[in-house]
Amino acid sequence: MLQIGCHLSTSKGFLAMGKEASAIGANTFQFFTRNPRGSKAKAIDQKDIDELLKWMRENHIQNIVAHAPYTLNPCSDKEQTRQFALETMADDLVRMEYLPNQYYNFHPGSHVGQGVETGIHQIVEALNAILKPEQTTTVLLETMSGKGSEIGSRFEELKQIIDGVILQDKIGVCLDTCHVYDAGYDIVQNLDGVIKEFDNVIGLNKLCAVHLNDSKNPFCSHKDRHEKIGEGYIGLKAISAVIRHPKLCHLPFCLETPNELEGYQKEIALLREKFAQL
C-alpha cells in the first residue's frame, strides 16, 4: 500500500491533523515540532496525543514525520546559534517520545564559510550530544539542494555525518526529490542510477522517508524551490517512477508542494492512481 500524505498544520492539534489526513485520502503526514521560523513549542496535550495514537492504530498508520524548524543551524559559525540548535533539537526529541517509533527530520545546516569538514564535525558533535540509547525516534538527515554553504547536497557528506554518529540505529535519511534533482542527481533520466549511488554511498537501509516535490528550477540549479506535482522540471512521469520504484515504494512519502488541503487531496488521488499502475 502506498504511504502518502502531506505537511499539515499543528495549530488545531494532533487528532485534528489525523482527521485532516483521512479527509484528503492520506495515510501518513508531516508536521513541524514548533514554529518553523522561531523556537516556541506548544505545550504537550497528553489527551490529544493519546487520541492521535488511537486514530493511527484504527487507521493502520505506521509512520509520521516531524520536521525541525528551519531556523536551526547546528553548524553555524556562531556558538550561540549552534547551542540554540542543540537545545531545541534535544527538547524536540524528548517531546517526540510522546509519539514513539516515529521520524524526526532536520536540515543538516550551513557551514557559512567555515568549510564542509568543520560543518560536518559540528553536526556530528550535536547529534552525539542529543541522541540517547533509550529513544525510539529515528533522526533523519534531509538531502539538500546545495544552495549557499548548505551541507548535505552530496550523499558523501551525509555518509560522513552518519559515520560519525555513535548511536547508528538512531540515524537515517529523508530524500527530497526536489533537493536531490536541484543538487545534481538526475532522478528524471537516471533514477536507477541515483538509487544505486545512494545505496553504494550511504546504504538503502538508512533511507527512511521521502519528501515528494516537483522543482520550479532546472536540473542542478541548486535553488530549492518546490513546485506542484507535474508542474515543474521533474514532472509527473518521473515522480510516478519514484513512488513505484521497488526499492522506494514501501517508504512514507510526504508532499511539501505549494498547496492548500484541496490541492494536496488532488495530488494524493493522482499519485494513488499512478501507483496502482505498478
Side-chain angles (χ1 to χ4, degrees):
M1 178 184 291
L2 177 64
Q3 294 182 74
I4 189 164
C6 62
H7 194 98
L8 297 174
S9 170
T10 59
S11 61
K12 298 178 183 177
F14 281 101
L15 180 60
M17 281 194 291
K19 290 181 175 179
E20 278 188 338
S22 291
I24 62 173
N27 54 357
T28 186
F29 62 85
Q30 179 175 268
F31 64 95
F32 279 118
T33 54
R34 58 188 67 217
N35 186 327
R37 301 291 178 187
S39 62
K40 189 175 182 180
K42 293 174 67 175
I44 294 292
D45 183 337
Q46 186 66 63
K47 181 182 177 183
D48 186 34
I49 289 175
D50 288 344
E51 288 174 338
L52 172 68
L53 292 172
K54 181 175 181 243
W55 171 85
M56 289 175 67
R57 290 191 298 270
E58 291 173 349
N59 289 274
H60 309 290
I61 308 299
Q62 296 178 336
N63 301 119
I64 57 176
V65 181
H67 199 304
Y70 294 134
T71 48
L72 303 187
N73 187 6
C75 59
S76 169
D77 59 345
K78 296 179 175 60
E79 184 178 356
Q80 183 178 1
T81 303
R82 294 196 304 272
Q83 186 64 25
F84 171 74
L86 189 151
E87 291 173 359
T88 301
M89 292 172 71
D91 184 53
D92 278 351
L93 289 181
V94 170
R95 295 163 63 86
M96 283 299 296
E97 289 307 302
Y98 288 89
L99 294 166
N101 302 302
Q102 301 305 329
Y103 297 128
Y104 175 73
N105 178 76
F106 80 105
H107 294 182
S110 298
H111 64 73
V112 289
Q114 299 182 97
V116 172
E117 293 303 320
T118 296
I120 287 173
H121 174 72
Q122 291 170 339
I123 295 165
V124 169
E125 276 194 328
L127 287 169
N128 283 332
I130 65 174
L131 297 179
K132 306 299 180 186
E134 64 273 17
Q135 76 182 55
T136 65
T137 304
T138 302
V139 175
L140 306 184
L141 300 160
E142 184 170 338
T143 59
M144 304 307 294
S145 65
K147 69 178 187 294
S149 61
E150 277 183 342
I151 289 175
S153 65
R154 308 310 303 165
F155 295 159
E156 289 80 6
E157 294 172 4
L158 298 176
K159 172 64 170 172
Q160 277 187 261
I161 296 170
I162 292 168
D163 283 349
V165 171
I166 296 168
L167 298 176
Q168 287 280 301
D169 61 327
K170 309 299 182 185
I171 192 79
V173 175
C174 176
L175 186 146
D176 186 301
T177 53
C178 171
H179 294 178
V180 293
Y181 186 70
D182 283 17
Y185 292 99
D186 196 351
I187 59 172
V188 174
Q189 300 297 331
N190 188 24
L191 177 60
D192 283 335
V194 173
I195 294 171
K196 183 177 181 181
E197 185 173 353
F198 185 99
D199 194 24
N200 288 340
V201 175
I202 298 175
L204 284 170
N205 63 309
K206 286 295 184 187
L207 184 56
C208 300
V210 175
H211 284 166
L212 205 61
N213 302 302
D214 213 323
S215 175
K216 285 184 181 291
N217 296 102
F219 177 63
C220 208
S221 60
H222 304 291
K223 294 289 187 184
D224 182 13
R225 292 191 66 206
H226 300 182
E227 182 54 281
K228 295 176 182 178
I229 300 299
E231 297 184 19
Y233 282 89
I234 298 176
L236 178 59
K237 182 179 178 181
I239 293 289
S240 299
V242 169
I243 63 172
R244 292 199 303 257
H245 198 283
K247 293 186 177 179
L248 304 179
C249 61
H250 63 287
L251 298 170
F253 295 93
C254 293
L255 294 158
E256 297 179 319
T257 50
N259 271 309
E260 301 296 333
L261 283 178
E262 183 180 356
Y264 282 132
Q265 184 173 22
K266 290 177 180 177
E267 287 186 340
I268 289 169
L270 173 62
L271 292 167
R272 286 202 184 284
E273 179 185 337
K274 295 298 181 183
F275 186 78
Q277 297 171 8
L278 179 64

